[in-house]
Amino acid sequence: MEWTRHRRVLALAVPAMGTLIADPLLGLVDTAVVGRLGAAELGALGLAVAVFTTLSWVFNFLVFGTTSTVARAVGASRLDVAGRRVSHAIQVALVLGVMVGGGLLLLAPTIIRSLGAVDALIGPATTYLSIRAVGVPLLLLGYVGHGAFRGVADTKTPLFIVMWANVLNAVLTVLFVFGFGLGIAGAAWGTVLAELFVVVAFAYRWRRTNLVITGHGRPNKTELLALLFVSRDLFLRTGALLTGLLIVTVAAARIDADTAAAHHILYQLFLLVAFTLDGLGIAGQTLVGRALGSGDETEARRLAREFLWWGIGTGVVVGLVLLAGMAAIPRLLTDDASVIAMARTAWVFVAVMQPLNGAVFSLEGIMMGAEDFRFLRNWTLVAAVSAALTSALVVVGSFGVLGLWVAMEVLMLLRFVPVWLRLRGDNWLRFGISA
């Protein structure tokens, strides 16, 4: 019985991990290619990616909200409700994608200049950000695709799609940057075209499934209010988290180009590891959502305990891999000796903190499966403010790259403790289908 449960977790988590790695792998491909253009271009890429991530990931409620509502509906054997949730999410993604992408395209130069980066970063960062703005609608539609398949406990289809998207991105980025001489703009266009492929592939695969998708159309008043509340809480939660991460990146850009480049290398690795570990969170969200949808409190509590240990154990393994790769990994991303040396000053610290990170990603997945979004919102705001204050002290005190990563882990610690305490009580338990 125990092994059967572990197999169920792994059957969802392992493909989800592979899928989640896709986004940071896209970033690592860009980093490895742009890193050959110079420190200024690499630092500019880091700044532009941080801005783009902050502005786009706040809409990942399209992923998490869709996953939770679809999983609960499936747990309650209401596939018609699941279909309506997916349809509504697609409509929201299209509207938001056009609005946000258009605004970002117009305001990209102003945004980059307002962050106070050194002059060498402004031009290439603006170029990259402007091009990525074109792909925002595609990105948000991709979010819905991921959430829909996760909600029905299919993490293999998204894995298959993003694997091919990464191959396409790698080929196009190298071709555009070096073959056509487009520089940092080539890296941006390669990513946008990969996002287009993801949307087309999701639509094709969804039409070929035998899932019951009915009740399309605009949401009614009750559904609209539920969607707005979930969207608001997840929007603010993700916005607070990404703003905290952005502030740390901006702090690096305010120091100098080498510090910005070194921080970007560590940040891309952090994202790669974070998305890998977050696969456990996805499995937890889906399984807990189904358990609560069917009213099984015992199963929900058992899953919370189990996923805590899964997160810690996986974090230990990841930390050991990072320690083993300390000499080789930085050289894969840049050939600038000064940047490599700076990145290594924080490398051990980043590796040692991975068990904490693993616990955070696992337990937050449980909370999302329980749709306890308001609690996550409130404590993430507290964590983001604390990280911002810490990074400000780093700049004033000239504590360098290591100081910046202490600020990052302050953010992670203040995400873990409240969630761990919350799960020991009863307030997170909500049964049945959400409104």
Side-chain angles (χ1 to χ4, degrees):
M1 183 66 177
E2 189 72 20
W3 173 241
T4 300
R5 289 201 301 266
H6 291 333
R7 287 182 62 185
R8 182 174 59 161
V9 171
L10 291 173
L12 286 173
V14 172
M17 287 179 179
T19 302
L20 289 169
I21 290 173
D23 190 64
L25 278 179
L26 290 175
L28 284 174
V29 168
D30 288 353
T31 299
V33 174
V34 175
R36 267 60 187 177
L37 300 177
E41 286 80 3
L42 184 57
L45 177 67
L47 181 60
V49 167
V51 172
F52 184 82
T53 298
T54 302
L55 294 175
S56 60
W57 281 4
V58 291
F59 300 105
N60 70 0
F61 61 80
L62 293 166
V63 181
F64 297 122
T66 304
T67 300
S68 295
T69 55
V70 170
R72 280 177 175 265
V74 171
S77 299
R78 290 294 305 276
L79 296 183
D80 58 323
V81 175
R84 285 187 62 83
R85 296 294 191 264
V86 174
S87 176
H88 300 160
I90 290 172
Q91 295 171 52
V92 171
L94 283 171
V95 173
L96 289 176
V98 172
M99 292 174 59
V100 175
L104 182 58
L105 183 62
L106 293 174
L107 297 175
T110 302
I111 293 172
I112 293 298
R113 290 185 180 279
S114 68
L115 296 176
V118 294
D119 290 342
L121 305 184
I122 293 176
T126 300
T127 297
Y128 185 89
L129 188 60
S130 299
I131 295 171
R132 288 298 305 274
V134 176
V136 171
L138 301 173
L139 184 67
L140 299 193
L141 286 172
Y143 286 173
V144 175
H146 282 288
F149 279 97
R150 290 177 191 177
V152 296
D154 180 0
T155 54
K156 293 181 180 178
T157 294
L159 174 61
F160 175 81
I161 290 172
V162 300
M163 284 175 58
W164 283 107
N166 271 274
V167 172
L168 178 64
N169 175 71
V171 172
L172 292 178
T173 298
V174 172
L175 177 64
F176 290 165
V177 173
F178 297 126
F180 295 164
L182 297 180
I184 197 171
W189 281 118
T191 303
V192 169
L193 291 176
E195 291 166 348
L196 174 61
F197 170 82
V198 168
V199 172
V200 172
F202 269 135
Y204 175 76
R205 293 291 296 180
W206 189 262
R207 292 184 63 183
R208 290 176 62 85
T209 65
N210 58 1
L211 298 174
V212 178
I213 302 299
T214 61
H216 292 194
R218 291 177 294 181
N220 59 39
K221 182 178 180 180
T222 301
E223 292 171 328
L224 181 60
L225 287 175
L227 181 62
L228 288 175
F229 284 133
V230 169
S231 301
R232 177 202 63 189
D233 291 338
L234 279 173
F235 182 93
L236 292 174
R237 174 259 177 189
T238 307
L241 173 60
L242 294 175
T243 299
L245 297 175
L246 176 61
I247 288 172
V248 178
T249 299
V250 170
R254 288 178 178 271
I255 298 173
D256 56 47
D258 284 351
T259 300
H263 173 73
H264 180 61
I265 287 175
L266 289 168
Y267 185 67
Q268 287 299 312
L269 289 171
F270 170 82
L271 291 179
L272 178 62
V273 171
F275 277 88
T276 302
L277 294 175
D278 211 23
L280 293 170
I282 290 173
Q285 183 182 6
T286 301
L287 295 175
V288 167
R290 286 193 169 191
L292 293 178
S294 63
D296 192 339
E297 176 182 348
T298 301
E299 177 71 359
R301 288 189 179 278
R302 185 195 61 75
L303 286 166
R305 293 191 299 271
E306 182 174 340
F307 274 94
L308 172 61
W309 291 111
W310 273 102
I312 293 173
T314 306
V316 169
V317 173
V318 170
L320 292 174
V321 171
L322 287 178
L323 288 174
M326 182 175 176
I329 295 175
R331 296 188 180 280
L332 296 176
L333 302 177
T334 183
D335 53 7
D336 190 306
S338 176
V339 172
I340 291 173
M342 281 191 174
R344 286 176 177 166
T345 61
W347 197 277
V348 174
F349 178 76
V350 171
V352 168
M353 298 307 294
Q354 293 311 310
L356 170 64
N357 296 349
V360 170
F361 301 131
S362 292
L363 293 188
E364 286 197 345
I366 297 295
M367 296 293 282
M368 288 185 181
E371 298 189 332
D372 201 358
F373 299 127
R374 181 181 299 180
F375 180 84
L376 288 175
R377 176 200 70 190
N378 293 342
W379 277 101
T380 304
L381 284 167
V382 172
V385 171
S386 300
L389 293 174
T390 305
S391 63
L393 292 175
V394 169
V395 175
V396 173
S398 300
F399 295 117
V401 177
L402 178 58
L404 293 170
W405 281 88
V406 169
M408 292 279 283
E409 292 303 330
V410 166
L411 177 66
M412 299 300 292
L413 182 63
L414 290 177
R415 291 169 65 193
F416 168 74
V417 174
V419 173
W420 178 67
L421 293 174
R422 177 79 160 182
L423 290 172
R424 294 170 65 88
D426 299 327
N427 292 334
W428 61 283
L429 295 168
R430 297 178 178 86
F431 302 105
I433 301 176
S434 57

